[in-house]
Amino acid sequence: MSRLSPTGRKALLTLHLVTSLGWLGADLVLLTLGVAGLRGADPAVVYPTAGLLVTWLFAPLSVAVWLIGVASALLTPWGMLRWRWVLVKFAITTVMLGLVLLALTPTVRRLGDLAPDLTTRDRLDLVIPPAVSTTLLLVATVLSTYKPWGRLRRATAPAARRTVPAGRGG
């Protein structure tokens, strides 16, 4: 795959930062709505709002962050399998994307439909997942900033085949 020019890399990095920060911001808003709902705010306002946020902002941003992250890994010198921190960040983002699309989004939409009849257990479904995902997003941010652990071990080249010169049977 071809590499990007320095200007292209900066543009891709900027796009990755903007979408990642947007995802973190949407996550914090979701957590704030969850805490408000847990503390007694009007469930007819909090949970439908959370459903809109997850549907129209949170889930699309999570997909955008993942796609732009993969593009960044493939089109820049960082690569996908060269550095441990990139691989860990990719794993965190992939797991979070799956959880957002397959678990959180349907759950929050359901909470919006059940708003007046929610139990405390139901209300925790809008507090615990955003708290965990905010933590994971902060971990990914720290990984991007400090770039720990060094390079992945390079695969060693296969042993050179020993060739027998013509006329010297073995």
Side-chain angles (χ1 to χ4, degrees), residues 101-167:
L101 297 179
L102 301 175
L104 183 67
T105 301
T107 298
V108 174
R109 285 181 181 164
R110 180 184 59 80
L111 293 175
D113 294 339
L114 301 174
D117 303 317
L118 293 173
T119 65
T120 300
R121 167 67 179 96
D122 291 329
R123 291 170 192 249
L124 285 173
D125 284 343
L126 193 56
V127 174
I128 296 170
V132 170
S133 62
T134 295
T135 303
L136 290 174
L137 289 171
L138 292 174
V139 166
T141 302
V142 169
L143 290 175
S144 295
T145 304
Y146 289 95
K147 299 171 180 46
W149 307 316
R151 290 182 73 97
L152 288 168
R153 187 172 295 198
R154 289 182 188 249
T156 55
R161 291 190 184 130
R162 298 185 78 196
T163 57
V164 178

Side-chain angles (χ1 to χ4, degrees), residues 14-28 61 65 141:
T14 301
L15 191 57
H16 189 56
L17 286 170
V18 168
T19 56
S20 297
L21 290 171
W23 193 13
L24 178 60
D27 199 21
L28 289 170
L61 277 171
V65 168
T141 302

